[in-house]
Amino acid sequence: MKCLNGSKLALGAAVALTALTAAECRAETAYVVQIPTNVTTTVPFSGVTPQQPPQQYHHASNYASAGVVGLPEAPVAAHGNNLAQTLEMGTRNSVYHFQSGANNTSTAGIIGNYGNINVLQAGNNLKSNVVLLNGAGLSVSVLQPAGSTPVNVLIARLPGGGLLIKR
């Protein structure tokens, strides 16, 4: 009986020691804080112009400055010299650029499958560079109000399953 009581005492001591030394573990969030909480932004859509009817005769110089319409990979210069560029390598990826203002630049790249990137720029002279690497099933949204700092971020899923967020 003494041996059995000693085992119970040792087991009880081990459980108590484990409970005392156990610490609460929490993971950091993948949310990147870029905008102060007191910023209010309005997005005017007055820069939208109606399409003009197609002309029947075009000069060769017009084709050189028009860019390629319909290809998401081609850089397209929008109203107010806005620029949106996309690189997608993989399957079932989606990238959306929404720009309101002038002289905004947005570059987004996805290398992998099932990635989603959304960029909303509402202001002037805004810059963003976002790369999603091997982030299967990840969605990243960048919101840039007027006067915000440039966004340069790389989000990569590591081989062990963790996330690397490099700004």
Side-chain angles (χ1 to χ4, degrees):
M1 278 299 215
K2 281 190 170 187
C3 185
L4 185 58
N5 287 338
S7 296
K8 287 182 181 179
L9 182 61
L11 181 63
V15 169
L17 182 61
T18 303
L20 289 175
T21 60
E24 186 175 337
C25 297
R26 294 183 185 260
E28 290 184 15
T29 180
Y31 179 71
V32 179
V33 178
Q34 292 282 330
I35 304 171
T37 56
N38 58 357
V39 173
T40 304
T41 302
T42 58
V43 180
F45 288 102
S46 61
V48 178
T49 58
Q51 289 186 345
Q52 305 225 349
Q55 298 175 357
Q56 293 188 6
Y57 176 74
H58 296 284
H59 295 287
S61 61
N62 288 344
Y63 285 115
S65 64
V68 179
V69 178
L71 295 177
E73 296 85 9
V76 178
H79 180 70
N81 296 324
N82 291 331
L83 177 66
Q85 296 176 324
T86 301
L87 169 69
E88 295 179 40
M89 296 176 66
T91 59
R92 302 196 182 190
N93 296 315
S94 64
V95 176
Y96 297 100
H97 301 269
F98 301 99
Q99 295 175 320
S100 175
N103 300 321
N104 297 324
T105 302
S106 173
T107 304
I110 298 178
I111 301 173
N113 301 320
Y114 302 99
N116 300 306
I117 297 177
N118 303 307
V119 179
L120 172 63
Q121 294 176 319
N124 298 322
N125 303 313
L126 300 173
K127 309 272 185 252
S128 71
N129 297 303
V130 182
V131 176
L132 183 58
L133 179 63
N134 197 28
L138 288 180
S139 293
V140 177
S141 295
V142 175
L143 305 173
Q144 281 188 290
S148 63
T149 60
V151 174
N152 294 305
V153 65
L154 165 71
I155 300 172
R157 185 168 305 277
L158 301 174
L163 281 178
L164 170 70
I165 301 174
K166 182 69 178 167
R167 294 190 279 165

